[in-house]
Amino acid sequence: MNLLRTHLAREPGTGIPLEAGKFEGETMRFIHKMAAAVGCSALLASWFAIGPASAVEETKCATPMYTSTSVQLAEPGRWAYTYKVSWCVQDGQITTITPHVTHEADGDPCTWVTSAEEAHIPVQDGSGAWRAFNMGEFSCTDGIANPWAYITVWPDGASSVLRKGIGDVIVE
């Protein structure tokens, strides 16, 4: 520590002591980068401590939980994607929608990246229905694959797949 303190307390290239509170430029940048790295590590550690526990926790409903039709999209030998939602209804109103995405990199050319977009939007037709959307992302050696789907759910437990696709292509 004394070696570092001596190094920090001298004017670069002259050996003249610096004024109190001043440090060499490169050393100061290193200290800021090190502090940033330690801070990021602490944030990541706290997320890992909290994240998985909350991800495992399932939504609790006062009434039976409904589950939608599943959407399955795939490029065999590359990737597979499945999306569905579950939802709770209380007093004729949808109260909670929980997405369920499963993915599989089906070979070496692709790896799963993330659920790139997720949305739950009430349908404005007076039926109490909601529209759920998810778009996944696979990184492949020849580009990116984005499977996606819209699922409409109703308070009576019914569901239907509105649209699904891969990138800009709608799949029937």
Side-chain angles (χ1 to χ4, degrees), residues 12-80:
T14 66
I16 299 171
L18 291 171
E19 295 175 33
K22 289 190 175 179
F23 297 96
E24 278 184 54
E26 290 300 315
T27 304
M28 192 63 182
R29 273 183 258 174
F30 172 75
I31 290 170
H32 283 296
K33 287 180 182 176
M34 188 167 52
V38 169
C40 287
S41 297
L43 279 172
L44 283 173
S46 68
W47 182 85
F48 283 120
I50 297 169
S54 62
V56 171
E57 191 176 312
E58 280 293 316
T59 302
K60 303 281 190 228
C61 293
T63 58
M65 182 180 286
Y66 296 111
T67 301
S68 72
T69 304
S70 292
V71 174
Q72 297 177 345
L73 296 167
E75 285 188 26
R78 297 171 52 86
W79 57 265

